[in-house]
Amino acid sequence: MATKETTRIRIISGCTLIIALTIVTRLFFVQLVHGDEYEEKGSQQYVRSSSDSFNRGSIFFTAKDGTPIAAAALAYGSILALHPAQLKDVEGSYRSLVNILPTLDRATFIARANKKDDPYEEIATKVSDADALRIEALKLSGVGLFREKWRVYPSDGLAAQTIGLVGYQGDERAGRYGLEKQYEGILGRSENSTQINFFAEIFTELGNRLTKNKEREGDIYLTIEPVVQGEVEKELMAVKEKYGADLAGAVVMDTRTGAVRAFASLPSFNPNAEQKELTSLGNPLVERVYEFGSIVKPLTLAAGLDAGVIRPESTYNDRGTITLNSKKISNYDGKARGTVPMQEVLNQSLNTGAVHVMQLLGKDRFRAYFRNFGFGEKTGIDVPGELAGLTDNLESTREVEYATAAFGQGIAVTPIAMTRALASLGNGGLILRPYLVDEIRFKTLERDQTESTLVRRVISERTSEDVTRMLVTVFDKALAGGKFKMDRYSIAAKTGTAQMSNPAGGYYDDRYLHSFFGYFPAYDPHYIVFLYIVYPKQVQYASETLSEPFANMAKFLINYYHIPPDR
């Protein structure tokens, strides 16, 4: 008896399996093998057009505890539209609707309502769900609501130039600036979205995977920490307004990995608002180049130390000026100091000292070090529009061009390129690729985690330690007489004040670019902070404008990340 029951169960199970396989096989061939043949016939049965077809992946900031915070997402609501021919009471309908949507313009409503030959007239977009329910309850003839989605930026203008925005590209919406543009292939979705039944979805997706390499879609998670970004933007706004600067920018980067925690530039914009001016949509941190001046001097001294042409205790005779190729180069005040050690080249920011080191190196070695610091190449940071810089003077036959480059004039680089080069002074001499996207999470549940990328070594660890010690002395003693020294933390830092180039030729006598960088704790740095402002008014030196904002940011980062003291 047990044998018969077992046999019967096996027969029934086998038949069920055969039937299931037959159905699945049939569906496979209908959807995949003969998909083109049945596409038109099957469209009404399986697929129907979606009225809210816009779709797009999300962008997230990453809080210090790893929590994702939405930076760019989708919002949902409704379009309010009229079918004028079916609208019975134009004036009454308007009065009812304006009670719910106070911004509804009467003249526009009446004009569109009178287009009796037009079956569809849009009169309001982004209607909230709550308002849509109230409108539906009115049961107005000729008034319809249609679901829609749109791009929204929950943090408004936070990191706006880095995040970018979505705009129309032809008839389709796509990323137009920033990360929205850079990662269009990941974030973008087809505008022709469809709603598909279960079996159609299974085999449509299977067909896509078997017949073509469909671009992977997903969400991106940033290295930017929103609280840090907000604090940096607040400091930038304060210094920009205080000194009437044309532009202000800042980078906070992990010196050990290249991960960027803040990437800020002002003026900026609110991506949720209509963009009437396009001038602030680009990102100056990668799309503009500047002559940064004296913050380049530590790089020149690092090259000299690494090549062995100077030691930290070396001296030179400062005459205040030097003439090369009939061009006179002077210290900022034109004064001579006599015999001074290399430390004073940084403490007093002596142009002649930087030129002296360049001459000891020679043009070829000087050029090689500056090329290895990354000047003249793109960093590879993952935002669009990055420039390589203007460094043709490093190929000149004239010694004066190398002399000016030694103290940061005559060559122009992007803020991110300068940050990367300066970070090598504190991280043991390594040039790393800076990056903004920490992870991509695909719809397939796969993940692409960004790893720190070593580009090359530019100076030795010993050189890194020597130049760091010199920069700590600058911060502790020379900067404002030691006003900003921290008892429990060593900080390596330097200011830069550069004359701005005049498009008509030469340099302005009264326009300056101020910059400041520092990393901490100095001998095992977690972060480098780089700041700059363009054309501050009625003030000449960066030590006057950027020392306090830097000190504020350093204290904030130390407290926020609970960085242990090193003193």
Side-chain angles (χ1 to χ4, degrees):
M1 190 66 161
T3 303
K4 289 182 180 181
E5 285 295 328
T6 301
T7 301
R8 185 178 301 169
I9 291 171
R10 287 176 177 173
I11 291 172
I12 293 172
S13 298
C15 291
T16 302
L17 180 61
I18 290 170
I19 292 169
L21 286 173
T22 300
I23 293 171
V24 170
T25 302
R26 177 59 178 164
L27 285 169
F28 175 82
F29 276 89
V30 167
Q31 290 291 328
L32 179 60
V33 179
H34 301 295
D36 292 340
E37 180 181 344
Y38 292 112
E39 181 178 5
E40 185 174 353
K41 294 180 181 179
S43 63
Q44 296 303 316
Q45 300 174 33
Y46 290 99
V47 183
R48 60 186 175 86
S49 297
S50 172
S51 61
D52 56 334
S53 61
F54 176 63
N55 200 6
R56 190 170 182 81
S58 297
I59 301 174
F60 296 94
F61 296 123
T62 304
K64 69 175 181 178
D65 63 357
T67 302
I69 309 294
L74 290 179
Y76 299 80
S78 297
I79 296 170
L80 178 63
L82 303 178
H83 190 319
Q86 296 179 6
L87 195 61
K88 295 179 180 178
D89 182 0
V90 174
E91 191 64 44
S93 296
Y94 171 76
R95 286 197 300 269
S96 297
L97 292 170
V98 80
N99 287 331
I100 300 172
L101 304 175
T103 59
L104 199 60
D105 182 71
R106 181 179 180 281
T108 301
F109 182 90
I110 299 299
R112 294 181 181 179
N114 286 328
K115 294 181 179 180
K116 300 301 181 183
D117 294 333
D118 194 338
Y120 180 87
E121 279 293 326
E122 204 168 280
I123 60 169
T125 61
K126 300 180 182 179
V127 177
S128 70
D129 289 344
D131 287 340
L133 287 173
R134 294 174 64 193
I135 291 170
E136 282 185 345
L138 296 175
K139 299 186 183 302
L140 299 173
S141 62
V143 175
L145 289 162
F146 302 88
R147 292 292 291 170
E148 69 167 337
K149 304 174 193 172
W150 62 92
R151 199 59 160 172
V152 67
Y153 301 88
S155 298
D156 289 327
L158 191 70
Q161 290 163 325
T162 301
I163 302 301
L165 52 76
V166 171
Y168 275 95
Q169 202 165 40
D171 294 331
E172 294 188 352
R173 283 171 283 188
R176 300 300 305 277
Y177 296 91
L179 293 165
E180 291 275 29
K181 178 180 180 180
Q182 181 77 7
Y183 288 90
E184 176 63 26
I186 302 298
L187 298 168
R189 308 287 189 264
S190 171
E191 289 277 358
N192 298 317
S193 297
T194 53
Q195 296 176 349
I196 308 173
N197 74 22
F198 176 73
F199 288 107
E201 184 172 0
I202 290 175
F203 291 111
T204 298
E205 286 302 310
L206 181 58
N208 285 333
R209 293 184 187 183
L210 292 177
T211 60
K212 63 180 180 179
N213 293 323
K214 187 177 180 181
E215 197 161 24
R216 292 192 295 175
E217 300 173 348
D219 302 321
I220 65 176
Y221 293 75
L222 306 183
T223 60
I224 292 177
E225 212 287 346
V227 176
V228 175
Q229 179 76 25
E231 188 70 17
V232 168
E233 290 187 8
K234 183 182 75 173
E235 287 289 343
L236 280 186
M237 181 60 73
V239 73
K240 181 180 181 297
E241 291 182 349
K242 181 176 181 179
Y243 296 105
D246 290 354
L247 186 146
V251 180
V252 176
M253 189 176 79
D254 189 322
T255 58
R256 302 160 297 181
T257 65
V260 175
R261 301 300 176 209
F263 210 55
S265 181
L266 299 174
S268 187
F269 65 98
N270 185 339
N272 291 315
E274 182 181 354
Q275 303 307 316
K276 296 180 180 179
E277 296 291 336
L278 302 182
T279 54
S280 63
L281 298 183
N283 194 330
L285 298 173
V286 296
E287 296 178 27
R288 295 188 191 179
V289 296
Y290 304 94
E291 297 178 46
F292 281 110
S294 295
I295 58 170
V296 172
K297 287 171 184 168
L299 299 174
T300 299
L301 266 64
L305 290 165
D306 196 67
V309 299
I310 60 169
R311 300 186 304 274
E313 63 271 18
S314 296
T315 62
Y316 86 105
N317 184 18
D318 172 30
R319 294 186 175 91
T321 64
I322 185 171
T323 301
L324 297 172
N325 302 119
S326 302
K327 300 291 184 181
K328 185 178 180 180
I329 295 173
S330 302
N331 290 328
Y332 72 94
D333 58 3
K335 295 179 180 179
R337 272 80 174 169
T339 301
V340 293
M342 287 296 108
Q343 181 65 54
E344 291 306 309
V345 176
L346 298 182
N347 285 357
Q348 299 188 56
S349 204
L350 303 177
N351 292 342
T352 58
V355 175
H356 171 74
V357 176
M358 181 281 298
Q359 290 178 316
L360 292 177
L361 282 166
K363 291 185 288 187
D364 291 341
R365 275 196 295 185
F366 179 80
R367 180 196 308 113
Y369 271 103
F370 269 45
R371 291 295 186 206
N372 279 334
F373 279 123
F375 296 156
E377 69 181 19
K378 297 179 181 180
T379 68
I381 190 170
D382 43 351
V383 285
E386 184 182 12
L387 300 178
L390 301 175
T391 58
D392 290 348
N393 282 7
L394 294 178
E395 306 300 327
S396 174
T397 58
R398 302 199 318 154
E399 190 177 23
V400 68
E401 310 294 5
Y402 296 84
T404 57
F407 55 84
Q409 299 271 191
I411 58 172
V413 299
T414 61
I416 188 59
M418 183 57 72
T419 304
R420 180 179 73 157
L422 294 169
S424 72
L425 301 177
N427 68 12
L430 306 179
I431 296 293
L432 302 173
R433 183 184 72 85
Y435 62 96
L436 290 157
V437 173
D438 181 59
E439 185 179 57
I440 301 173
R441 298 181 189 177
F442 297 100
K443 290 173 67 177
T444 59
L445 303 184
E446 298 174 49
R447 295 190 178 192
D448 186 356
Q449 182 80 41
T450 302
E451 296 183 358
S452 178
T453 301
L454 172 63
V455 179
R456 60 183 164 267
R457 174 176 289 281
V458 64
I459 56 174
S460 69
E461 291 187 11
R462 173 63 183 273
T463 299
S464 171
E465 184 177 339
D466 284 343
V467 75
T468 292
R469 187 175 296 107
M470 297 175 77
L471 289 169
V472 170
T473 300
V474 171
F475 189 80
D476 284 351
K477 297 180 179 180
L479 183 65
K483 174 182 177 181
F484 300 101
K485 178 183 178 181
M486 296 186 187
D487 292 335
R488 302 189 66 202
Y489 291 89
S490 61
I491 294 179
K494 178 74 177 75
T495 66
T497 301
Q499 286 181 290
M500 294 178 60
S501 60
N502 187 333
Y507 293 87
Y508 290 106
D509 292 328
D510 59 349
R511 298 188 185 188
Y512 300 93
L513 182 145
H514 292 181
S515 57
F516 195 117
F517 83 93
Y519 50 85
F520 48 87
Y523 302 103
D524 183 21
H526 292 219
Y527 295 106
I528 182 171
V529 174
F530 174 78
L531 306 171
Y532 73 102
I533 55 175
V534 177
Y535 190 20
K537 311 304 186 292
Q538 298 180 338
V539 61
Q540 185 170 351
Y541 299 114
S543 57
E544 301 172 80
T545 59
L546 294 178
S547 297
E548 188 169 347
F550 170 81
N552 291 342
M553 290 185 196
K555 291 174 184 176
F556 168 79
L557 289 166
I558 287 168
N559 292 328
Y560 188 66
Y561 283 107
H562 306 294
I563 297 173
D566 66 337
R567 284 178 167 173

